[in-house]
Amino acid sequence: MSTSSNVVVLDNGGGLIKAGLGGERDPSAVVPNCLYRPPASKKWLHLTSRDEDLTSAAVRRPMDRGYLINPELQREIWSHLFSSVLRINPSQSSLLLTEPLFTLPSIQRSLDELVFEDFNFRALYVAHPPALVHLHEATRRPSGLLSRAQCSLVVDAGFSFTHASPVFHNFPLNYAVRRIDLGGKALTNYLKELVSFRSVNVMEETFIIDDVKENLCFVSLDIDRDLTIARKSGKENLFRCTYVLPDGVTHTKGFVKYPDQARRYFALRDNNHPSSAPVEAEGDTNCSEIAEQPGDRKRVDLPKNEFDLTNERFLVPEMIFRPADLGMNQAGLAECIVRAVNACHPYLHPVLYESIILTGGSTLFPQFAERLEKELRPLVPDDYHVKITAQEDPILGVWRGGSLLASSPDFEAMCVTKSEYEELGSARCRKRFFH
């Protein structure tokens, strides 16, 4: 383990696995952490890219709500990843593995068995994602407040849940971490329900609705105003846009019908009144007017190959800020952050509010940071600054922090070796990582 090239960095997320070698800037592979089965097949397949035809594909995931529930399935996915994608020999490599906060000891034992007994890695280091995000951001800006104070608040909105984690000297303060049981998976499921209820049944189309969410959803900066606009007809409705479903013949992936039309809501950033929005290109105007004609709507609906979205575009991400509106007995993200900060020592409060880092795929919604700051500002004392930093790539931020750690000269001493694991067992070895 003399060089970081022998260290495999594995950010094992509930939605995506990011894997590569320590010291690199980007992972060698970003693949969904699942197996899929096409409708006409009986065989479960590995998903190597999202360009495949995934219409009505069934999905099996080894992780549920962020935690490993199926070690056998995870072994199968890792085995394919190590042999066919990364092409590494685990017995000659060390592993830096990420693990969600508050993982149960029984799950930790299962992971340790996978690493040491099934794959025979020679050493293991387990890291928490917020610590790696903090390390990456502190290294990027060595003269910034975050690096000088060695303190930050990491907001990780991932696939399974959202955490607000204060980090101090590279360790998450577990007693202060606050969690919302909402992530990208719940948002996709909610969008499925809305579209299925209003337009066309897409309850089986997980991958397609993921694409709809990533391309068309955004965070509202004024929910009452936007709901009013969404009720309008014709070109006054800045949110209406059309998504075309794959037909399996001419195109195997869904797509946004008029991309320029889908981006019109950005006109609301600077002016509250939709009438001041820039006039669309002539083709787009015609399309939105034609779509409003009842005869055409009937014709489009018959083949069920496309559907319109209006207020769904901002109601889905709104869940993170107002879970109570969906009947969830949980605080919204801004209140969650305030509770996490208040659980820390008062001396840390001003620094934490001034060094909030956004990571995780669900923070990629347009206007996410602006909305969070707008909600947070009234809850924070007036003499404190609020500064929210979005990572340059929120999906890869954790992996990049792990790659930095794996390339540090102290990494070898921090690991648990296979012989130590065999002698002391999982529980004793785990104490080394988080103390």
Side-chain angles (χ1 to χ4, degrees), residues 8-9 66 170 240 265 298 364:
V8 177
V9 179
N170 265 8
R240 184 180 299 282
Y265 70 89
K298 188 181 286 185
L364 283 168

Side-chain angles (χ1 to χ4, degrees), residues 221-254:
L221 296 179
D222 185 337
I223 191 77
D224 295 329
R225 174 202 68 191
D226 290 352
L227 282 169
T228 303
I229 295 170
R231 291 191 190 99
K232 296 181 184 294
S233 59
K235 57 186 177 182
E236 284 196 327
N237 185 341
L238 297 185
F239 305 132
R240 184 180 299 282
C241 62
T242 304
Y243 189 86
V244 182
L245 293 164
D247 61 8
V249 182
T250 56
H251 51 277
T252 56
K253 289 195 75 177

Side-chain angles (χ1 to χ4, degrees), residues 185-201:
K185 182 181 180 182
L187 301 188
T188 299
N189 288 342
Y190 184 41
L191 184 54
K192 276 189 208 172
E193 289 177 18
L194 290 176
V195 173
S196 298
F197 179 71
R198 297 175 182 183
S199 307
V200 50
N201 184 5

